[in-house]
Amino acid sequence: MCGIIGIVSREEDVVPRVVDGLKRLEYRGYDSVGVAVVSAGSLVVRKSAGKLADVVRKAGISRLSGGICIGHTRWATHGPPIDVNAHPHVDCSGSIAVVHNGVIRNFSSLREQLESRGHTIRSDTDTELIAHLLEEGLREGLSPLGSMARALSMVTGSYAIAVLFSSDPGRIYFARMHSPLILGLGEGSNAVASDVTALLDVARRVVPLNDGELGWISATEVALYRLGGNGELVPISPAELASRIKVIEWTPESASKAGYPHFMIKEIYEQPQALLETYNGSVEDPSLARSARLLVDARRVYVVGAGTSYHAGLVFSYMAATLARVPVYPVIASEHPYMGNAIGEGDVVIAVSQSGETYDTLEAVRDYKKRGARVIGVINVVYSALDRESDISLYTRAGPEIGVAATKTFLSQVMLLELLATFMAEHSGALTGSEALEYRRKLGKAPRITQDSIAASDPVARFLGERGSYKSVYVLGRGLGSSIAKEASLKLKEIAYMHAEAYPAGESKHGPIALVEKGFPVFMVATSDSPHISGNAMEMSARGAEVVVTKPADLSLEIPRGIKVIDLPPSQGFLPYEPFILTPFYQLLSYYSAVAKGYDPDKPRNLAKTVTVE
Ligand code: F6R
């Protein structure tokens, strides 16, 4: 999804720093890149479709210099990914440059109005319209800040914007509404960016902005306002601003590849550490026990998320039912609008989101709140919108995840949610206090088990991935295995561009089996709650499928010869270990399949790390 960064400094050194920031934003997914600087009083814009390194070279960005610069990575929404649609966009006079993340909803009517007032609109984007609206404000005699207030009260939709006015060359103007934007307060320089990852080299102290806020930064000052209902500017006091400063703990090293060829493989291998951090940070966190009480006493419990985070929610719903005997409705965030009517006072929703900025998840959360439900956020990025909008925030501590595919954040979510389920079981009476404690003690071994699983999975996954013959596969599981199968198939699809379909194994004979013919690959995610999956393996094999069963080594299944079995580390009959045992194999299979086919596993086509649009 689009990424923004702007830096203003006392030194003339900001262009390479903005390029570094854009590099850190690459993981969000993008198709075009651009920057604007003010140099000798005039605005210079360089932009193009393409990858960052290529655009920097071919557009001559490395030859630019200046003490103020804004940059952008674009993920196309309005208009195709071509040079003219890349950001920054400028007004008719070429003296105002705007970068934007979000979607302006009243785009068509604004465009018509601006054209009828004589503006020449060069791109297909909604962003360019903001530049022309700002131009009108200046022409009416407003200050840059006044023209920002005027323009923003005319647009509807979502935006995080950074703006340069050549008439005010020492300040970057910014505004936020429903799209993430963070101020970075450095020494002799200040910055604004879409996320903390982009700011790691610039500033340790950050201020996450709220919806409806706007202002400016210079090298040494910050001014922040709230936009009132009539477009008036309400100043936010320096004391309030100071009280909102947070210190980032992530380091630039944690966001680098550290010798691995790709972020994805680094992050797969970082899982034991991520799990350990998540475990240590959560096991005695009183917020878990508090959340558990809220959940057990709730009228109804929902878990909402998108993609991989939804799959972690499925694992949670299974654990809550089996361990705590609490039913939990899993909801795909983008589907929530069609079933929101059932929500009311007394309900509790767990919103799971690595980024804490996923549009669909945030919109669902806002609707749950409006209908009287309480919100528990499970979040990896602190100070994100979900963090701020949740009644209780529970943090996974996976560190920055740069690869577009969620890997270490998935298992960290599972760890946290399994811990939460043990607290729920204690509160519901399904487990005694000492039984729940024993569950939690055992979960402390999951990081080590994950490490063993990665070590055992890597050579087999590499062999199968490099063989590279899979085009279309089924991934089947029963019980807990069916949620893991969903996550496995998502990884295979998004990273290895393989048509991978997950199905509950028992359901596969009600239709999907019709596709199976000689050599059709079927992966089975066997978990210890469902030994009868062996029957499904036999059904598939009998129809010629090339069946591969992945299972904990100590799970004994009756499997006839001819079916390949991949034994992973034993789970000692402890079901909560099994996501940690089975998931890494499929992450690695996706990774090695993608690399063997020459795909970039860190930046799969058409995908964005953080999906901040509807
Ligand atoms: C898959 C993946 C996506 C995300 C989804 C939600 O590998 O990364 O499916 O899980 O976009 O993102 P968050 O967790 O940031 O809300």
Side-chain angles (χ1 to χ4, degrees):
M1 210 77 344
C2 300
I4 289 177
I5 179 157
I7 307 178
V8 50
S9 167
R10 279 201 289 237
E11 311 294 330
E12 293 280 296
D13 62 350
V14 296
V15 178
R17 294 169 75 193
V18 164
V19 171
D20 284 347
L22 290 176
K23 205 166 178 42
R24 292 200 188 286
L25 289 167
E26 275 188 300
Y27 79 97
R28 296 167 71 93
Y30 70 103
D31 46 62
S32 315
V33 177
V35 301
V37 293
V38 181
S39 184
S42 30
L43 194 66
V44 181
V45 175
R46 296 273 189 275
K47 60 181 188 174
S48 168
K51 291 286 169 203
L52 178 64
D54 298 336
V55 177
V56 167
R57 196 172 14 85
K58 82 175 179 212
I61 291 176
S62 44
R63 291 195 296 277
L64 296 176
S65 66
I68 187 163
C69 178
I70 56 175
H72 189 265
T73 49
R74 174 174 191 250
W75 190 80
T77 52
H78 279 85
I82 51 176
D83 292 356
V84 72
N85 288 336
H87 298 211
H89 289 282
V90 297
D91 64 316
C92 296
S93 67
S95 56
I96 303 168
V98 181
V99 291
H100 166 221
N101 170 24
V103 176
I104 304 301
R105 284 193 195 224
N106 54 340
F107 157 82
S108 308
S109 59
L110 275 179
R111 185 173 177 130
E112 243 170 60
Q113 291 162 26
L114 283 161
E115 281 176 334
S116 73
R117 295 199 289 266
H119 291 268
T120 307
I121 315 285
R122 302 172 200 90
S123 72
D124 308 310
T125 67
D126 48 354
T127 308
E128 185 183 342
L129 308 184
I130 300 174
H132 293 278
L133 291 173
L134 293 169
E135 175 190 7
E136 290 189 336
L138 290 191
R139 265 205 236 135
E140 284 174 17
L142 295 173
S143 65
L145 192 64
S147 71
M148 291 275 289
R150 174 190 178 275
L152 297 176
S153 48
M154 295 168 83
V155 303
T156 57
S158 56
Y159 52 80
I161 57 170
V163 185
L164 288 186
F165 292 89
S166 64
S167 57
D168 192 1
R171 290 175 181 175
I172 295 174
Y173 288 81
F174 58 81
R176 171 198 160 124
M177 180 65 80
H178 303 315
S179 291
L181 199 63
I182 293 170
L183 297 182
L185 311 178
E187 300 296 326
S189 63
N190 286 318
V192 61
S194 298
D195 63 33
V196 284
T197 323
L199 293 173
L200 291 179
D201 282 322
V202 188
R204 295 270 89 162
R205 294 180 313 137
V206 301
V207 179
L209 296 174
N210 295 323
D211 287 340
E213 291 182 344
L214 72 163
W216 54 262
I217 47 172
S218 69
T220 52
E221 287 175 290
V222 179
L224 191 58
Y225 300 83
R226 215 166 274 126
L227 190 62
N230 298 321
E232 75 280 15
L233 289 161
V234 183
I236 292 176
S237 69
E240 185 186 333
L241 183 67
S243 72
R244 286 171 50 187
I245 295 176
K246 317 276 180 197
V247 178
I248 319 173
E249 285 171 13
W250 291 356
T251 60
E253 294 69 47
S254 61
S256 77
K257 281 191 205 154
Y260 285 90
H262 299 101
F263 282 110
M264 184 178 175
I265 187 77
K266 172 183 175 246
E267 288 160 2
I268 291 172
Y269 268 83
E270 272 174 358
Q271 290 182 113
Q273 188 59 32
L275 292 173
L276 192 66
E277 302 277 338
T278 302
Y279 179 84
N280 287 339
S282 314
V283 70
E284 285 177 20
D285 177 358
S287 301
L288 263 81
R290 205 175 124 222
S291 302
R293 285 194 295 275
L294 201 62
L295 289 162
V296 172
D297 298 340
R299 189 177 73 133
R300 268 180 308 230
V301 179
Y302 298 85
V303 60
V304 69
T308 291
S309 291
Y310 169 71
H311 297 155
L314 290 178
V315 174
F316 175 65
S317 136
Y318 178 95
M319 289 295 168
T322 53
L323 210 58
R325 298 191 209 121
V326 175
V328 173
Y329 299 92
V331 179
I332 292 179
S334 57
E335 289 292 306
H336 165 77
Y338 316 107
M339 53 187 86
N341 272 344
I343 317 290
E345 291 282 337
D347 292 346
V348 180
V349 62
I350 303 199
V352 186
S353 175
Q354 181 285 126
S355 61
E357 300 287 354
T358 298
Y359 180 92
D360 291 327
T361 307
L362 288 175
E363 282 300 290
V365 159
R366 287 168 189 151
D367 188 60
Y368 275 101
K369 283 178 94 168
K370 209 169 68 199
R371 293 173 191 272
R374 308 286 301 277
V375 177
I376 299 170
V378 172
I379 305 145
N380 194 47
V381 180
V382 288
Y383 318 133
S384 55
L386 180 58
D387 190 3
R388 283 175 286 132
E389 295 184 30
S390 297
D391 296 301
I392 303 178
S393 291
L394 305 177
Y395 302 107
T396 52
R397 288 167 165 82
E401 188 176 67
I402 311 293
V404 163
T407 52
K408 62 176 179 169
T409 55
F410 172 68
L411 284 186
S412 300
Q413 290 166 343
V414 170
M415 167 63 94
L416 193 147
L417 291 165
E418 287 192 350
L419 281 171
L420 181 60
T422 69
F423 283 102
M424 289 168 68
E426 195 174 340
H427 189 64
S428 71
L431 292 179
T432 63
S434 54
E435 283 168 339
L437 214 58
E438 179 58 10
Y439 260 86
R440 290 196 280 279
R441 192 192 61 72
K442 282 188 168 172
L443 271 173
K445 300 219 165 75
R448 175 71 223 208
I449 288 172
T450 308
Q451 191 171 325
D452 294 346
S453 165
I454 294 169
S457 300
D458 191 299
V460 198
R462 184 193 284 250
F463 172 78
L464 291 177
E466 287 177 354
R467 222 176 52 166
S469 57
Y470 302 123
K471 286 203 173 58
S472 186
V473 305
Y474 280 143
V475 190
L476 308 181
R478 292 181 87 109
L480 180 61
S482 79
S483 307
I484 303 170
K486 280 200 160 52
E487 176 55 12
S489 84
L490 178 60
K491 289 289 98 76
L492 291 167
K493 278 199 260 287
E494 64 180 340
I495 301 303
Y497 306 157
M498 201 182 279
H499 171 244
E501 200 175 339
Y503 243 91
E507 183 69 4
S508 63
K509 57 187 176 295
H510 297 285
I513 201 167
L515 267 186
V516 172
E517 54 188 4
K518 191 162 170 39
F520 189 95
V522 178
F523 284 88
M524 297 267 177
V525 185
T527 41
S528 54
D529 56 344
S530 50
H532 32 302
I533 197 169
S534 50
N536 303 114
M538 286 182 223
E539 283 158 16
M540 291 288 165
S541 175
R543 280 148 188 92
E546 191 189 302
V547 180
V548 178
V549 176
T550 50
K551 69 174 190 65
D554 55 350
L555 171 61
S556 77
L557 295 178
E558 279 182 33
I559 294 179
R561 268 207 237 128
I563 292 184
K564 186 171 173 53
V565 177
I566 299 175
D567 272 324
L568 298 166
S571 66
Q572 302 131 48
F574 188 60
L575 194 62
Y577 284 152
E578 296 185 3
F580 305 105
I581 291 170
L582 291 155
T583 311
F585 170 80
Y586 291 96
Q587 295 170 338
L588 288 160
L589 180 64
S590 313
Y591 173 77
Y592 286 119
S593 304
V595 172
K597 291 178 187 165
Y599 305 144
D600 182 348
D602 287 343
K603 294 177 212 124
R605 67 184 175 215
N606 304 334
L607 291 180
K609 180 72 183 163
T610 310
V611 184
T612 51
V613 293
E614 200 166 356

